[in-house]
C-alpha cells in the first residue's frame, strides 16, 4: 500500500505536484493517468525517495521507502528506461543491483528470462532499443520480487506483444495481492489494465475512483437509435439538455436521455424504432471531460468522484 | 525485438529473490561489480601503470646521463655541491610519473560518481540503495582501495625497473632509505588524496568533464597562479603551502625544503583535503534530488 499525504513538490517557483493525497491499495492495479507534465513521474520519484517532497510525505506499507530494511524487496520501480551505464551489459547491471540486497544470481537469470532478454543479456545496454530498455527496466523492478510495483509509462516503446505482456504482468501481480501502481498517458491502455484510477492534471488529483466510476461518472446517458423516421424522432425528443446528432439516414445519437425515456417518447408519438443501443463513453472522453472541468470549472458538484478543490471560480 | 517472446508472468517461487537485507557489504560488492565492468576502468588503470613505469625509466636514464656528463666535468660537480643530494634525487625517480598518474587516477575517481548521473544509472543505484550515504561510503572505500593498490603497485614496479638503470650510472637507489620510503608511502597517500578530492568533485558537479577540469585546475593551474601572484601579494605565499599539491609534495620530499610546512602540518593539510571535500559531497548528495 502506498499512502501519500499532502505531497507537494516545487521546482523553483513552479509547483510540479500540488498537495496530492491518495492511497494505492494492494490487490488491484491502480492506474495513474494524466497528460505529460502533470506530475506523474515526480510523484513516483518522491515515493522511492529520488526527489524529496517540498511538503507532505509518502509511505510504502507504513514506512518511508528509505527506512525499509530491504527496499528492493519492498518496492520495484521502473522510472525511466535506460537508467543504466551505456557500456554495461544488462546482466552486469542486474547483478550489481542484486548484490546490494544479496539477491542470488539465479534470480538475475530468472528476471532476464522472464522479460525475454536472454539473447541480449551480455550486450552493452547502449545499443538497446527503447523497447529492450523498457524490458530491462521491468527486469530491475521485478528483481527483488517486491510487494509493490511502481511502473512509470511501462508500455512506452513496447511492441503490441510487449504491451500485452505488461498488462498481464500487472494484472497477475495484483491478483497475487501485490500493490501495482502504473502511470500512463494512454487512456486506452489504462482502460484495459487498471481497476482503479487516479487522474492527475497540473499537479493536482482530479479523480480517484474505480475505473467504471471514472468512465461513468462524468457521463451523460447516450444511446444510438435506429429508426425509419429520424426526422420525426428528433423533433419528438428535442428538449433542453438533450443533444441530438444525426449519424446517418436512419441513425440518431441521443445524449441526455436514457433508453427507457427514448422508447417511451417513441411509443407516445407512434414512431417505430428498431434499434436502441446504449453507448458507453470511453475513458478518453471521460478523461477529456475531467481535464476540461479542471480548467474551466470549479469542481464537480454532486458527482461520485473525489474532486480536488481547484480554488478557482468559473 | 518484435520476434522475441516475453514469457508469461509466473509466480516467482517463494524466496526466489532470497531474503537478504540492504547491507554496506552488499553495496560495496555492487560498486566493485560496476567499477570493474567498465572497459574504461581497466584502460585508465593500465595507463597509470604504463605512465608511472615509463617516466621512472626515462628519468633514471636522463638523470644518469647528466650525472655522467657532470662527473667528467669537476667544475660543474663542485657547483652541484653536496653529494648527499644525490640520494634524494635518486629516490624521487620512481615517482617521477606521479604528476600525470594522479590526473589519470583522478579522472577515474571523478567518473566513479559523475558517470552515474551522466548516464542515468544513478536512478537505479539510489532506488536500490535509498540511503545515499551508503553509496558514497562504498564508493569512497572502492576509490581508496583502488588508488592505494594502483599507486603502490606502480611505484614498486617503477622502483624495480629504475633501480638497475640508476645503478648502471652508479646512482644508488635504496629501498630502505628514508628518502625512498617517504616517496613510496607519501606518494601513495598523495594519490589517495587526489582520488578522494576527485570523487567529491564528481558528486558535487555530477559531470565528468567539469569534475576533471576543476581537478586539473586545482592541481596544475592554481599552484602556478598562486605562485606567480605571491611575488605581488605576499600573503599568497602562505596560502600556496596549503594547496593540496604543495602539502602532498612536501610530505614526499625530505624535510627542510624551503617554504614547506613541517611533516605533521603537511599531514594535517592532506588529511583535511581528503575529508573536507567529501563532507561537502555527502551533504550535497543528501540534499539534492537525484
Amino acid at each position: 500500500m502506498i499512502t501519500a499525504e499532502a505531497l507537494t513538490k516545487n521546482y523553483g517557483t513552479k509547483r510540479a505536484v500540488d498537495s496530492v493525497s491518495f492511497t494505492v491499495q494492494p490487490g488491484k492495479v491502480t492506474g495513474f493517468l494524466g497528460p505529460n507534465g502533470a506530475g506523474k513521474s515526480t510523484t513516483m520519484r518522491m515515493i522511492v525517495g529520488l526527489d524529496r517532497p517540498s511538503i507532505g510525505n509518502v509511505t510504502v506499507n507504513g514506512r518511508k521507502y528509505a527506512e525499509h530494511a530491504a527496499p528492493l524487496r519492498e518496492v520495484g520501480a521502473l522510472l525511466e528506461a535506460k537508467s543504466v551505464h551505456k557500456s554495461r551489459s544488462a546482466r552486469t547491471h542486474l547483478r550489481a543491483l542484486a548484490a546490494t540486497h544479496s539477491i542470488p544470481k539465479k534470480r538475475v537469470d530468472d528476471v532476464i528470462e522472464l522479460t525475454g532478454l536472454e539473447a541480449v543479456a551480455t550486450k552493452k545496454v547502449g545499443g538497446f532499443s527503447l523497447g529492450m530498455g523498457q524490458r530491462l527496466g521491468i527486469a530491475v523492478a521485478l528483481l527483488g520480487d517486491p510487494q509493490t510495483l511502481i511502473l512509470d509509462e511501462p508500455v512506452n516503446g513496447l511492441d503490441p506483444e510487449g504491451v500485452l505482456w505488461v498488462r498481464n504482468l500487472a494484472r497477475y501481480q495484483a491478483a497475487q495481492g501485490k500493490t501495482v501502481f502504473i502511470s500512463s498517458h494512454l487512456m486506452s491502455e489504462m482502460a484495459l489494465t487498471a481497476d482503479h484510477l487516479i487522474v492527475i492534471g497540473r499537479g493536482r488529483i482530479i479523480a480517484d475512483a474505480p475505473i467504471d466510476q471514472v468512465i461513468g461518472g462524468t457521463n451523460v446517458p447516450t444511446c444510438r437509435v435506429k429508426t425509419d423516421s429520424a426526422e420525426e424522432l428528433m423533433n419528438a425528443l428535442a428538449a433542453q439538455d438533450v443533444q441530438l446528432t444525426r449519424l446517418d439516414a436512419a441513425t440518431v445519437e441521443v445524449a441526455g436521455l436514457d433508453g427507457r425515456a427514448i422508447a417511451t417518447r417513441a411509443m407516445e408519438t407512434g414512431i417505430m424504432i428498431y434499434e436502441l443501443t446504449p453507448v458507453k463513453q470511453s475513458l478518453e472522453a471521460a478523461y477529456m471531460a475531467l481535464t476540461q472541468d479542471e480548467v474551466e470549472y470549479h469542481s464537480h458538484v454532486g458527482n461520485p468522484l473525489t474532486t480536488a478543490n481547484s480554488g478557482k471560480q468559473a | 525485438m518484435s520476434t522475441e517472446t516475453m514469457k508469461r508472468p509466473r509466480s516467482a517461487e517463494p524466496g526466489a529473490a532470497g531474503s537478504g537485507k540492504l547491507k554496506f557489504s552488499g553495496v560495496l560488492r555492487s560498486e566493485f561489480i560496476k567499477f570493474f565492468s567498465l572497459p574504461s576502468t581497466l584502460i585508465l588503470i593500465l595507463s597509470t601503470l604504463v605512465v608511472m613505469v615509463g617516466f621512472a625509466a626515462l628519468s633514471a636514464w636522463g638523470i644518469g646521463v647528466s650525472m655522467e656528463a657532470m662527473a667528467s666535468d669537476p667544475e660543474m660537480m663542485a657547483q652541484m655541491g653536496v653529494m648527499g643530494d644525490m640520494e634524494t634525487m635518486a629516490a624521487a625517480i620512481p615517482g617521477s610519473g606521479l604528476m600525470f598518474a594522479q590526473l589519470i587516477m583522478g579522472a577515474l575517481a571523478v567518473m566513479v560518481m559523475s558517470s552515474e548521473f551522466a548516464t542515468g544509472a544513478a536512478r537505479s543505484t539510489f532506488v536500490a540503495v535509498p540511503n545515499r550515504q551508503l553509496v558514497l561510503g562504498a564508493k569512497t572505500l572502492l576509490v581508496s582501495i583502488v588508488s592505494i593498490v594502483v599507486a603502490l603497485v606502480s611505484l614498486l614496479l617503477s622502483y624495480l625497473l629504475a633501480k638497475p638503470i640508476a645503478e648502471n650510472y652508479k646512482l644508488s637507489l635504496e629501498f630502505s632509505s628514508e628518502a625512498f620510503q617517504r616517496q613510496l608511502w607519501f606518494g601513495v597517500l598523495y594519490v589517495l588524496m587526489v582520488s578522494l578530492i576527485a570523487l567529491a568533485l564528481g558528486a558535487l558537479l555530477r559531470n565528468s568533464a567539469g569534475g576533471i577540469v576543476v581537478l586539473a585546475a586545482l592541481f596544475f593551474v592554481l599552484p602556478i597562479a598562486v605562485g606567480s601572484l605571491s611575488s605581488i601579494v605576499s600573503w599568497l605565499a602562505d596560502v600556496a603551502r596549503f594547496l593540496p599539491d604543495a602539502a602532498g609534495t612536501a610530505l614526499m620530499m625530505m624535510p627542510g625544503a624551503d617554504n614547506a610546512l613541517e611533516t605533521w602540518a603537511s599531514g594535517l593539510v592532506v588529511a583535511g583535503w581528503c575529508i573536507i571535500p567529501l563532507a561537502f559531497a555527502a551533504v550535497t548528495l543528501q540534499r539534492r534530488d537525484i
Side-chain angles (χ1 to χ4, degrees), chain A residues 9 45 49-52 65 69 73 83-84 88 92-93 96 99-101 107 113 116 132 135 143 159 161 165 172, chain B residues 1-2 4 6-7 11-12 16-18 20 22 26 30 34 37 119-121 123-124 127-128 132 286 289-290:
Chain A
K9 182 68 189 180
R45 288 168 56 86
L50 290 185
D51 282 6
R52 178 194 299 268
Y65 177 68
R73 291 174 205 291
S83 298
V84 192
R88 218 168 261 143
T92 312
H93 178 60
T100 60
H101 286 62
R107 178 65 184 170
E113 190 197 324
M132 286 193 280
R135 285 168 195 242
L143 190 61
D159 48 45
E161 196 199 8
W165 181 82
Y172 180 83
Chain B
M1 201 61 205
S2 60
E4 260 175 67
M6 274 188 162
K7 300 292 186 301
S11 168
L22 175 60
S30 173
K34 285 195 281 186
S37 66
T119 59
R123 282 187 293 274
S124 301
V127 168
R132 298 178 188 175
Q286 194 66 36
D289 291 337
I290 299 300

Side-chain angles (χ1 to χ4, degrees), chain A residues 9 11 45 48-52 65-66 69-73 79-80 82-88 92-93 95-97 99-104 107 110 113-116 118 124 132 135 143-145 159 161-162 165 168-169 172, chain B residues 1-23 26-27 29-30 33-35 37-39 115-116 118-132 286-290:
Chain A
K9 182 68 189 180
Y11 289 119
R45 288 168 56 86
V48 291
L50 290 185
D51 282 6
R52 178 194 299 268
Y65 177 68
L72 269 193
R73 291 174 205 291
L79 291 173
E80 241 171 275
K82 295 210 184 179
S83 298
V84 192
H85 196 296
K86 288 193 286 295
S87 310
R88 218 168 261 143
T92 312
H93 178 60
R95 277 193 46 216
L97 292 173
T100 60
H101 286 62
S102 310
I103 294 169
R107 178 65 184 170
D110 283 352
E113 190 197 324
L114 204 65
T115 46
E118 298 104 317
K124 285 183 180 177
M132 286 193 280
R135 285 168 195 242
L143 190 61
D145 193 18
D159 48 45
E161 196 199 8
W165 181 82
N168 288 336
L169 173 83
Y172 180 83
Chain B
M1 201 61 205
S2 60
T3 54
E4 260 175 67
T5 318
M6 274 188 162
K7 300 292 186 301
R8 283 192 63 82
R10 60 158 193 235
S11 168
E13 316 82 75
S19 56
K21 294 193 168 68
L22 175 60
K23 283 202 290 263
V27 181
R29 202 159 62 243
S30 173
I33 294 173
K34 285 195 281 186
F35 184 71
S37 66
L38 295 178
S115 73
E116 294 262 358
T119 59
R123 282 187 293 274
S124 301
T125 301
F126 289 104
V127 168
V129 189
N131 182 341
R132 298 178 188 175
Q286 194 66 36
R287 291 214 179 133
R288 258 178 87 182
D289 291 337
I290 299 300

Side-chain angles (χ1 to χ4, degrees), chain B residues 87-95 98 151-152 155-156 159 163 172-190 248-255 263:
Chain B
E87 200 180 307
T88 312
M89 200 192 280
I93 289 173
L98 270 178
L152 196 56
L155 277 167
L156 289 175
Y159 165 79
K163 189 176 165 70
S172 81
L173 180 48
E174 284 308 318
F175 187 83
S176 54
S177 73
E178 195 201 338
F180 180 69
Q181 287 292 313
R182 281 186 88 102
Q183 277 284 323
L184 182 64
W185 298 108
F186 288 129
V188 170
L189 179 64
Y190 184 96
T249 313
L251 278 181
M252 287 195 288
M253 297 301 158
M254 291 296 278
T263 300

